[in-house]
Amino acid sequence: MAQQMFVLFEHASGYGLFKVREFEEVGTFLPEVEASSSDVSKFKQVVKLVGYRAFTSAASSLENINAISEGLITDELSAFLETNLPKVGKKAGIILGVTDPKLGAAINEKLSIPVTHIGVIPEVVRGIRTHLTHFVKGLTNSSMKQTELGLGHSYSRGKVKFNVNRVDNMIIQSIALVDQLDKDVNTFAMRIKEWYSYHFPELAKLVTDNYKYALCANFIKDRHTLSQESVPKLEEFVMDSAVAQAIFDASRMSMGMDISPIDVMNIERFAKRVIGLSKYRQQLSEYLKAKMSAVAPNLATLIGDVVGARLISHAGSLINLAKYPASTVQILGAEKALFRAIKTRSNTPKYGLIFHSSFISRAGPTNKGRISRYLANKCSIACRIDCFTENLTSVFGERLREQVEDRLNFYTTGDIPKKNEEVMSEALADHTAQVNLKETEGEAEKCKPEKAFNGEVVQEDTSASKRKRDRKKLKKESLASAEVKAEVEEQVPPATEGESEPATGTKKKKKKNKHIAEEEQPQENGGTNEQEEEDELEPPKKKKKVQKELNGSVEEEEAALALKSPKKKKKKKQEGSGVVEEQMNTSIESPKKKKKKKSAVGAN
């Protein structure tokens, strides 16, 4: 029985299953298949659509395409294949063509279907992709472009968002920019030296640093304008008083030629650019240091920020570097020398990028290879700790660095270092202690905003309570002054009959005044009792006015009360006894006070 070939086609809009007619003949005439891919009528004679399953939503499309890219088979694809392919008994005579070998292996493992991705399959898939709209009804070129574009954006967004190397990429770009800036700054500094040396050639010998030379050139400009007052400023640039004085002396007797103001202006602009690039390079180094301490603190502590960043950049990511063995880390960056040594059968290189570490330069000529091998081993351990540890600390990097120091000391003095097991156990204990400390600090920091918020609220509450306390204090002071005035009035009789002592605005103070008046009643005459009763019957507005007037002098208050008392008498005469009874009903008084009030009205 001849085998039947089916081809699985994955598209942004759905899955398609096609049957290839006359499989054996098609496989024999591959060039004819390539020619028929451009002609729809010929291609339809070769391929026939068996089934097509469209995705229900964009999320479903993205989920399926992510699974296919990772070589996984989804439930939707499995159900589609089981529905459209021949039954179990007839599967022995079929073969399924796919484009991705990983997906083919997953289909073969799950559904036990023979799968292939070679031979005529790529040409058939290319023809299906070209003429898909002629096989599927309702599918147009515009709709295909929209679905492909939307799925492409979603897929790319997901890959960028969930990229495990997204933090490493910042380190890779930063170290590449640092290296580029070093080259550019050196090139520009050489250019400015050549340019400014026409005017002041002695400066290049006195100031060798490129950054300091650019600062001096930007400050001096025309050497004829340099004076003794400029020496302290030059000393700030070169960090040496003798060099600053030498620059001033050289400017007096320089053999350089004179330049025009426009030339000085262009040199000054170029020097400022070089200074700006140098400052930016320093800022970028600080940024790289912060990134390395956050991503790979142990590797940075062991071998340095710049060398560690170069290792990560050369490997492609921290994960790739962690997967490398120590022998690969040792010669990483020296691939050309390695292959040349293998080709010529000469000695292989001892070190690559780790040569820039200070440990290699401190070792003797006979021990450089040994210490580079040992350092590469420790770098590999540090990379794996940084890559696969959830709580990052620099404890292991510090202990690994101490081990390299001890080994370097062992090569020179012969002192036997500690065993690796002891060092790692101590480092693990310190790491656990630091992690626990960070967790406690994190919990405290989480509580800090609530405490700060509560603290603000408490401060607001305390400020409000302070205001209340101040008000109470003022009221107490006014009450005390009122009591003092009452005592003075008791001892000295008032000038007018209706003169009364000031009343307070709250009921508590009324009760207190009432209590004081009752205690002093045996010693007072009838006129004072009538005055107290009139003060209690006084309206609240007048009481507030009296409280405000209490802040002034006692004489002004007595004069104001003397002016108010006649008006009060006239009102009482006009309104009669009925108005007095209404005022008496509004305030809470005893029967004795009512009788006293009536007697006061009769007297008026």
Side-chain angles (χ1 to χ4, degrees):
M1 181 180 177
Q3 284 187 336
Q4 295 179 349
M5 172 174 279
F6 294 86
V7 177
L8 176 65
F9 180 72
E10 311 93 10
H11 189 257
S13 58
Y15 293 117
L17 187 65
F18 296 84
K19 182 179 179 182
V20 181
R21 300 175 182 176
E22 301 177 357
F23 164 55
E24 294 180 354
E25 295 180 3
V26 168
T28 307
F29 302 101
L30 185 60
E32 284 75 2
V33 176
E34 294 178 1
S36 65
S37 298
S38 58
D39 190 359
V40 181
S41 59
K42 289 183 180 179
F43 190 74
K44 282 187 174 181
Q45 297 175 2
V46 179
V47 177
K48 178 185 176 182
L49 179 64
V50 176
Y52 189 82
R53 182 187 181 93
F55 295 127
T56 57
S57 63
S60 175
S61 174
L62 181 60
E63 181 183 356
N64 281 273
I65 202 68
N66 282 327
I68 289 170
S69 65
E70 295 175 3
L72 303 175
I73 179 172
T74 60
D75 296 336
E76 189 173 355
L77 178 58
S78 178
F80 172 70
L81 292 176
E82 289 179 351
T83 303
N84 293 280
L85 285 174
K87 301 301 178 184
V88 180
K90 300 180 181 179
K91 281 185 180 180
I94 66 170
I95 186 169
L96 181 65
V98 295
T99 55
D100 189 6
K102 293 182 181 179
L103 180 62
I107 293 172
N108 187 13
E109 182 180 356
K110 188 172 183 179
L111 303 178
S112 302
I113 299 174
V115 180
T116 183
H117 64 280
I118 57 175
V120 77
I121 299 300
E123 290 299 326
V124 173
V125 171
R126 186 169 67 89
I128 293 170
R129 187 181 297 111
T130 306
H131 308 295
L132 183 62
T133 55
H134 296 279
F135 288 97
V136 181
K137 294 180 180 180
L139 189 64
T140 60
N141 289 325
S142 60
S143 62
M144 282 177 59
K145 288 180 181 179
Q146 288 179 359
T147 54
E148 289 171 359
L149 185 63
L151 180 61
H153 285 175
S154 301
Y155 181 75
S156 301
R157 194 181 300 112
K159 284 294 182 183
V160 171
K161 184 177 180 180
F162 298 105
N163 184 15
V164 294
N165 302 325
R166 61 184 181 275
V167 182
D168 306 344
N169 293 335
M170 303 302 167
I171 295 174
I172 294 169
Q173 298 298 328
S174 300
I175 191 62
L177 185 56
V178 165
D179 294 338
Q180 188 65 39
L181 282 176
D182 288 337
K183 294 178 183 177
D184 294 342
V185 169
N186 289 332
T187 304
F188 295 155
M190 292 300 296
R191 178 62 55 198
I192 198 172
K193 279 185 179 180
E194 291 179 7
W195 197 353
Y196 195 63
S197 293
Y198 289 120
H199 177 62
F200 194 3
E202 292 82 7
L203 184 62
K205 295 180 181 179
L206 296 172
V207 183
T208 56
D209 186 69
N210 294 331
Y211 179 63
K212 293 180 180 178
Y213 186 89
L215 289 172
C216 292
N218 183 40
F219 175 71
I220 295 171
K221 298 180 183 70
D222 190 356
R223 73 171 190 274
H224 297 296
T225 60
L226 198 64
S227 61
Q228 188 66 37
E229 298 175 356
S230 305
V231 174
K233 191 69 175 177
L234 284 173
E235 186 178 349
E236 293 180 7
F237 294 147
V238 298
M239 304 295 180
D240 192 351
S241 59
V243 175
Q245 187 63 37
I247 292 172
F248 174 71
D249 296 338
S251 67
R252 298 293 92 190
M253 57 185 69
S254 176
M255 59 183 296
M257 68 178 189
D258 295 337
I259 55 176
S260 62
I262 189 67
D263 296 332
V264 173
M265 189 183 299
N266 282 283
I267 292 172
E268 181 185 358
R269 288 178 181 174
F270 190 52
K272 287 181 179 178
R273 293 294 178 92
V274 175
I275 293 168
L277 284 176
S278 300
K279 289 181 179 179
Y280 176 66
R281 200 267 181 206
Q282 295 174 0
Q283 294 174 1
L284 196 62
S285 299
E286 295 296 328
Y287 169 76
L288 180 63
K289 183 178 180 181
K291 275 292 179 184
M292 283 296 295
S293 62
V295 176
N298 294 297
L299 182 63
T301 305
L302 173 61
I303 203 170
D305 301 319
V306 177
V307 181
R310 286 201 176 101
L311 288 173
I312 294 173
S313 177
H314 198 82
S317 66
L318 184 62
I319 294 177
N320 293 341
L321 186 62
K323 291 177 182 178
Y324 287 161
S327 57
T328 305
V329 175
Q330 180 182 353
I331 59 171
L332 201 64
E335 289 83 2
K336 289 183 180 180
L338 175 65
F339 294 134
R340 184 172 60 248
I342 293 173
K343 187 177 180 179
T344 58
R345 295 183 181 180
S346 58
N347 295 330
T348 57
K350 298 176 182 178
Y351 28 69
L353 291 172
I354 61 174
F355 174 76
H356 300 285
S357 175
S358 60
F359 296 112
I360 307 297
S361 59
R362 288 164 54 190
T366 57
N367 296 323
K368 285 186 182 295
R370 300 169 69 185
I371 198 65
S372 65
R373 185 167 59 250
Y374 190 80
L375 180 61
N377 184 16
K378 299 305 176 184
C379 286
S380 180
I381 294 173
C383 291
R384 291 164 188 173
I385 293 172
D386 290 331
C387 184
F388 302 109
T389 304
E390 294 181 0
N391 301 312
L392 290 175
T393 59
S394 60
V395 174
F396 289 99
E398 293 171 359
R399 295 307 174 91
L400 292 172
R401 186 179 181 86
E402 290 176 3
Q403 280 188 301
V404 179
E405 293 279 359
D406 294 342
R407 181 56 62 100
L408 195 62
N409 191 26
F410 169 71
Y411 291 149
T412 55
T413 61
D415 296 338
I416 299 174
K418 290 183 179 180
K419 291 185 178 180
N420 188 47
E421 184 178 358
E422 297 177 3
V423 176
M424 288 296 105
S425 60
E426 294 175 0
L428 185 61
D430 294 344
H431 171 74
T432 307
Q434 284 196 12
V435 169
N436 295 334
L437 182 61
K438 283 183 180 180
E439 288 179 356
T440 54
E441 288 178 355
E443 291 176 358
E445 286 178 358
K446 286 180 181 178
C447 298
K448 268 185 182 179
E450 297 178 0
K451 288 182 179 179
F453 178 77
N454 294 334
E456 290 177 2
V457 172
V458 168
Q459 287 177 2
E460 291 177 0
D461 291 343
T462 52
S463 61
S465 61
K466 187 178 179 181
R467 293 193 205 102
K468 289 181 180 179
R469 287 197 299 270
D470 294 339
R471 289 174 186 171
K472 288 180 179 179
K473 189 176 180 181
L474 290 173
K475 288 180 181 179
K476 286 180 181 178
E477 289 176 356
S478 62
L479 180 62
S481 62
E483 290 175 359
V484 170
K485 186 181 176 184
E487 291 177 359
V488 171
E489 287 179 353
E490 287 169 5
Q491 295 175 4
V492 180
T496 59
E497 295 179 357
E499 202 172 6
S500 61
E501 65 176 89
T504 59
T506 57
K507 292 182 180 180
K508 291 183 180 179
K509 291 180 181 179
K510 286 181 181 179
K511 291 179 180 179
K512 192 170 183 181
N513 291 336
K514 182 180 175 182
H515 181 66
I516 292 168
E518 288 176 358
E519 286 180 352
E520 295 177 352
Q521 190 174 2
Q523 300 176 2
E524 295 174 354
N525 50 16
T528 56
N529 291 333
E530 291 174 2
Q531 289 173 0
E532 288 176 3
E533 290 164 3
E534 288 175 4
D535 290 337
E536 289 177 356
L537 290 170
E538 191 174 357
K541 293 183 179 179
K542 293 185 179 180
K543 292 178 182 178
K544 289 181 181 178
K545 289 181 181 180
V546 172
Q547 287 179 3
K548 291 180 181 178
E549 291 169 358
L550 282 173
N551 296 327
S553 62
V554 177
E555 294 178 357
E556 292 177 356
E557 290 174 356
E558 290 178 356
L561 290 171
L563 291 172
K564 288 181 183 179
S565 57
K567 293 179 181 178
K568 192 172 180 182
K569 291 176 183 177
K570 289 179 182 179
K571 274 187 178 182
K572 290 179 181 179
K573 286 178 181 179
Q574 290 173 2
E575 291 172 359
S577 60
V579 177
V580 176
E581 289 178 359
E582 288 177 2
Q583 291 178 357
M584 290 165 60
N585 292 332
T586 54
S587 60
I588 303 170
E589 294 177 345
S590 62
K592 293 180 180 179
K593 289 183 179 180
K594 290 181 181 179
K595 290 179 181 180
K596 290 177 182 179
K597 187 62 188 175
K598 288 178 181 178
S599 63
V601 172
N604 292 332

